[in-house]
Structures are given as structure tokens and as C-alpha cells.
């Protein structure tokens, strides 16, 4: 399978979970500000790093499921940046939430394909733990941009960082799912 095919296949899994949680909770995340989404991304990435460093987990959720969470929260973050936080889950019907999910997922895939072309799939030779560290770096960059109220001098915006976090998480999922040599 090509990288694009692998990405799309795993994105179906992430989207399926998003749709199921949307059914169970509506778009309860609509009340969250982007800084809260960034904190949730931090929680997911930090848990992965802690498990990687300690060598075991005491909670049943897998590292893989945390990477799925990063993908979905990054897309939620992109939706929140676009719409702003809402007052209730009712301000975004499920079908509109899924449309927004698909639009942002496609934009992130497009970015990944362009970067993948230029970097020659270098990510395939990286350690999965490096993706974790890079996601955490992007989280801390995003927190700084948020502290600056988006007023940066030379940096990409929050949206670019969310897309990069999503794509690093997808790289990890691809490696964990399709590669026999996935290293940690």
C-alpha cells in the first residue's frame, strides 16, 4: 500500500471513533477553547511518552489508541479554530461536525503528501518515540503561540501545528499497523 492508502485506511478508523463518540456525547467538545484542546493533546502525548519511558502501562488504553486520540483532537482543534468555541454541543449538528472533520482531515492529508514528497518519506526511518517527542514539541509551541495570542514574528500558526501533530500521529499509526520493524 502507498502512504496515502495507509493514511486513508487508518483515518477511517479514527473517523469511525469520532462518529461513535459524536453519537454518544454530541459535540460536547464545542465548549472547549483551543487552549483546552492543546492541553488534551498534551495529555495524550505525555501519556505515550511516559509509557515509552517506563516500559509499561497500568491503564488498559493502548499507545495506539492514544495516537488515534491525537488525530481526533487535532481535527477537533482545527474545527474549534475555524468556528470558535460554542456555548453548547447543540450549535454543531453531527452531520456538520463530520463534514468539518472530513474537510480538515483532507487538508492535513494534502499537507502530508506535499511534505512527504519533499522529505522523501524520512519519517519511515524514525523511531516511533521520535514522533511522540515531536508531537510534544508542537504542543509546547502551540501553547506559546496561544500565550502570545497568536502574535508570532516568524512562526506558523496554531492550525499548522495541529496539522503537524495529526500527521505525526498518523505516521505512528502507520508504523504500528503496517511495519514489522516499528521501533520505539
Amino acid at each position: 500500500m502507498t502512504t496515502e492508502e495507509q493514511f486513508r485506511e487508518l483515518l477511517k478508523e479514527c473517523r469511525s471513533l469520532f462518529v461513535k463518540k459524536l453519537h454518544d456525547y454530541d459535540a460536547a467538545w464545542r465548549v472547549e477553547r483551543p487552549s483546552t484542546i492543546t492541553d488534551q493533546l498534551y495529555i495524550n502525548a505525555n501519556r505515550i511518552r511516559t509509557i515509552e519511558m517506563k516500559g509499561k502501562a497500568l491503564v488498559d488504553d493502548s499507545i495506539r489508541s492514544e495516537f488515534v486520540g491525537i488525530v481526533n483532537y487535532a481535527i477537533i482543534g482545527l474545527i474549534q479554530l475555524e468556528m470558535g468555541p460554542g456555548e453548547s454541543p447543540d450549535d454543531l449538528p453531527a452531520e456538520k461536525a463530520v463534514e468539518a472533520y472530513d474537510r480538515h482531515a483532507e487538508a492535513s492529508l494534502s499537507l502530508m503528501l506535499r511534505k512527504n514528497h519533499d522529505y522523501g518519506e524520512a519519517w519511515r526511518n524514525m523511531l516511533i518515540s521520535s514522533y511522540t517527542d515531536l508531537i510534544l514539541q508542537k504542543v509546547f509551541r502551540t501553547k506559546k503561540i496561544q500565550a502570545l495570542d497568536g502574535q508570532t514574528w516568524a512562526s506558523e500558526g496554531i492550525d499548522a501545528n495541529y496539522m503537524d501533530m495529526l500527521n505525526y500521529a498518523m505516521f505512528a499509526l502507520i508504523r504500528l499497523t503496517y511495519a514489522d520493524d516499528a521501533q520505539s
Side-chain angles (χ1 to χ4, degrees):
M1 293 176 78
T2 66
T3 297
E4 181 176 358
E5 291 168 334
Q6 291 172 334
F7 187 108
R8 287 187 186 281
E9 189 64 30
L10 290 166
L11 189 59
K12 286 179 191 174
E13 176 186 336
C14 297
R15 184 184 187 273
S16 174
L17 181 61
F18 177 84
V19 169
K20 288 174 184 174
K21 287 192 174 194
L22 197 57
H23 172 270
D24 292 350
Y25 305 129
D26 292 325
W29 45 265
R30 282 290 297 130
V31 301
E32 295 180 353
R33 292 167 281 194
S35 58
T36 305
I37 304 296
T38 303
D39 281 340
Q40 184 61 53
L41 288 159
Y42 168 75
I43 289 167
N44 290 94
N46 193 63
R47 180 170 185 268
I48 294 167
R49 182 180 165 105
T50 300
I51 293 167
E52 288 170 346
M53 293 179 74
K54 290 184 176 182
K56 71 176 183 174
L58 299 182
V59 176
D60 286 339
D61 293 336
S62 67
I63 286 176
R64 190 177 190 290
S65 70
E66 295 293 344
F67 281 118
V68 169
I70 290 170
V71 169
N72 285 343
Y73 272 107
I75 292 174
I76 288 169
L78 291 165
I79 294 169
Q80 292 298 81
L81 287 174
E82 177 182 58
M83 296 183 69
E87 294 300 317
S88 90
D90 300 334
D91 72 355
L92 185 62
E95 63 275 1
K96 295 291 185 192
V98 173
E99 286 173 17
Y101 183 100
D102 291 343
R103 188 175 61 259
H104 289 292
E106 196 62 36
S108 296
L109 169 61
S110 177
L111 174 66
M112 184 278 295
L113 290 172
R114 292 190 311 273
K115 286 185 173 184
N116 205 36
H117 172 272
D118 291 356
Y119 289 98
E121 297 212 336
W123 62 271
R124 288 197 183 266
N125 295 313
M126 294 170 57
L127 299 172
I128 291 173
S129 58
S130 294
Y131 309 140
T132 306
D133 292 348
L134 289 165
I135 292 167
L136 279 169
Q137 175 197 40
K138 295 288 183 179
V139 165
F140 290 123
R141 286 180 175 186
T142 301
K143 285 177 165 287
K144 178 62 178 181
I145 294 169
Q146 288 168 330
L148 294 170
D149 291 324
Q151 301 302 309
T152 60
W153 291 352
S155 303
E156 296 177 309
I158 295 168
D159 58 339
N161 282 285
Y162 283 161
M163 283 184 173
D164 285 346
M165 287 182 236
L166 183 159
N167 285 329
Y168 283 127
M170 288 300 294
F171 291 159
L173 288 170
I174 289 170
R175 294 280 310 288
L176 290 167
T177 304
Y178 298 107
D180 293 334
D181 63 341
Q183 304 167 7
S184 54

